[in-house]
Amino acid sequence: MGMKRREFLLKSGMGALIGEMSGFAPGTEKMGFPGILSASEERKKLIVGLVGCGNRGFANAMGFSKSCRIGALCDLDSSRIKRYHDHRKICPDSDKVAVEKDYRKLLDRKEIDIISISTVDHWHVKIAAEALLAGKHVFCEKPLTWTIEENRYIRDLAQKTDRVFLVGTQQRTMKDQFLCATLMVRAGLLGKIQKVSVFLLPGPKRGPFPKAEIPSTLDWERWQGPVERKDYRKERCHATFRYWYEYAGGQFTDWGAHHIDCAQWALGEDQPGKGPVEVDGREVEHASELDSRGFPLHDDLFNTAVQFHIRCRFASGIPMDIISSRDNGILFEGTKGRIFVNRGKLTGKPVEEGRHLVFTEEDYIRLNHGKPIQPPKANFLRCIQEGGLPSSDVISHSVIMNTCHLCGIAARLKRVVCWDPLNERILDDDQAAFFTERKRRKGYELPGIS
């Protein structure tokens, strides 16, 4: 399991640096991420450095450009940057926007206030950690982490610094869908919850894919980063990287970072010490055959789960099933009714009866860490100005990502995995525990962890 915060700070020699950065403003200690700016900082337009220039990065760039100035662009594939650099809304003064292949050069720029991370999953935490240590506020696309080890690591580091950290799970700001459903569950309007079903899109089953020549614009060596080197195949890179266990977790970490998050949020199972105690991964079909240790037998096929029915159980006894389905949403079933919620709708007899209309704006604000309901970027910037937790915070996200990764581990081994949520460790199963962390290639270690 991952090293505790104090241990890695001492071993990395970063304790003094972080100590200087962690002073909380009076009365904000319990907020977790005070992020209080000086008066002079509040008056200036915040400058954003964008790391990762794919489709999600483009959407994030457009979001930030409404209130901030884009000061730098970074991507390991130089062909992807032009779209951003030429866009009038993202870079109205393109000659003043730095273009880099190495994100560390953005961290060295004192004028940059925010680092926006839209890279592949296996790079998220390393960039986020180094950005926090450089004194930057951080926005990072979901899923935040690549392993269970990274969950505690980045949560501890984020809490130690005084920067605001928003995770890109926008469903936590969808008032008429997921916030309303969460309030209904928590208020007992469905009665005692008997079961939760989380429906995620099935994964793709494709390949074999041929080896290909590495594009001249792409730094494939650095793109792989901490991962064991593999031959370049176009489908391993960019949009379809998430269907390889080497780099991601398939739908468990892709859509799971949204729907498992909202399911556990509604149940109050999204805080440290919470989460499932058992995850059953025996009903799973993978895109590639796996060996008895849980490793793919082929390196030219997608290898994450395609069809699945994962059965989770919480200490409360409530079961949560995670099922491959085109429904792509969450079904809450209680003794007084059931509701289904996804990005397009909130349905069920309790909604038809108008039970959800009892909530006031104050109820929604309390659920949203005391902030008005706004789009994610606006919420993020408000927290930088005022302090407090953003709508999707690293504390709760790290806890639900434990569940997402546990689904992948149980699925890879096709067995029941027992989890201790208080100590965040797998019980009595060394083979399963092996997958809670990853051996990183030299030069790509996390700060403080070799």
Side-chain angles (χ1 to χ4, degrees), residues 3-5 36-37 40 50 75 126 192 286-287 329 331 345 379 447:
M3 188 182 297
K4 291 183 178 179
R5 178 182 68 225
I36 301 299
L37 300 178
S40 61
L50 300 170
D75 199 285
K126 180 171 174 59
K192 183 178 180 181
H286 280 93
L331 177 66
K345 60 187 177 182
N379 170 261

Side-chain angles (χ1 to χ4, degrees), residues 312-326:
C312 301
R313 180 175 59 83
F314 296 102
S316 64
I318 296 175
M320 179 175 72
D321 289 4
I322 300 167
I323 305 165
S324 54
S325 169
R326 293 291 171 188

Side-chain angles (χ1 to χ4, degrees), residues 222-235:
R222 189 158 176 78
W223 187 96
Q224 294 174 94
V227 182
E228 179 186 357
R229 292 179 179 87
K230 295 286 186 180
D231 291 323
Y232 176 76
R233 303 173 197 273
K234 181 171 65 69
E235 292 79 8

Side-chain angles (χ1 to χ4, degrees), residues 117-126 140-147 150 223 226-227 241-244 246-250 253-254 401 405 440:
I117 304 167
S118 306
T119 66
V120 287
D121 296 359
H122 62 278
W123 267 106
H124 283 175
V125 166
K126 180 171 174 59
C140 187
E141 268 298 328
K142 62 82 207 168
L144 176 58
T145 61
W146 184 40
T147 65
E150 288 185 342
W223 187 96
V227 182
F241 76 89
R242 58 180 50 86
Y243 306 123
W244 307 82
E246 293 91 321
Y247 317 120
T253 55
D254 186 27
M401 283 308 301
H405 292 308
R440 294 171 172 269

Side-chain angles (χ1 to χ4, degrees), residues 153-318:
Y153 169 88
I154 195 62
R155 179 175 73 233
D156 285 355
L157 180 58
Q159 288 182 283
K160 188 66 177 179
T161 66
D162 65 346
R163 301 294 86 181
V164 177
F165 195 135
L166 174 68
V167 183
T169 50
Q170 66 269 32
Q171 289 181 180
R172 285 205 179 204
T173 63
M174 299 181 74
K175 180 179 178 181
D176 295 334
Q177 295 85 26
F178 296 97
L179 274 76
C180 186
T182 295
L183 287 174
M184 292 181 73
V185 171
R186 291 188 176 191
L189 300 187
L190 305 182
K192 183 178 180 181
I193 298 299
Q194 297 176 312
K195 184 179 181 180
V196 179
S197 298
V198 177
F199 301 106
L200 309 179
L201 292 175
K205 187 174 185 178
R206 288 172 49 197
F209 304 114
K211 296 179 186 178
E213 183 177 348
I214 301 171
S216 60
T217 57
L218 173 66
D219 187 343
W220 176 239
E221 163 64 24
R222 189 158 176 78
W223 187 96
Q224 294 174 94
V227 182
E228 179 186 357
R229 292 179 179 87
K230 295 286 186 180
D231 291 323
Y232 176 76
R233 303 173 197 273
K234 181 171 65 69
E235 292 79 8
R236 277 187 172 273
C237 196
H238 295 335
T240 49
F241 76 89
R242 58 180 50 86
Y243 306 123
W244 307 82
Y245 275 132
E246 293 91 321
Y247 317 120
Q251 299 293 39
F252 298 135
T253 55
D254 186 27
W255 273 104
H258 289 300
H259 292 331
I260 292 173
D261 172 50
C262 288
Q264 290 191 207
W265 185 33
L267 295 174
E269 292 283 353
D270 65 333
Q271 295 300 308
K274 297 292 187 175
V277 295
E278 185 178 278
V279 179
D280 185 345
R282 289 176 290 183
E283 295 182 40
V284 178
E285 175 197 346
H286 280 93
S288 172
E289 185 181 0
L290 308 182
D291 65 22
S292 60
R293 301 171 304 149
F295 289 95
L297 291 175
H298 307 279
D299 69 355
D300 58 355
L301 306 170
F302 287 155
N303 56 41
T304 54
V306 178
Q307 301 289 338
F308 45 87
H309 188 149
I310 306 290
R311 304 174 191 273
C312 301
R313 180 175 59 83
F314 296 102
S316 64
I318 296 175

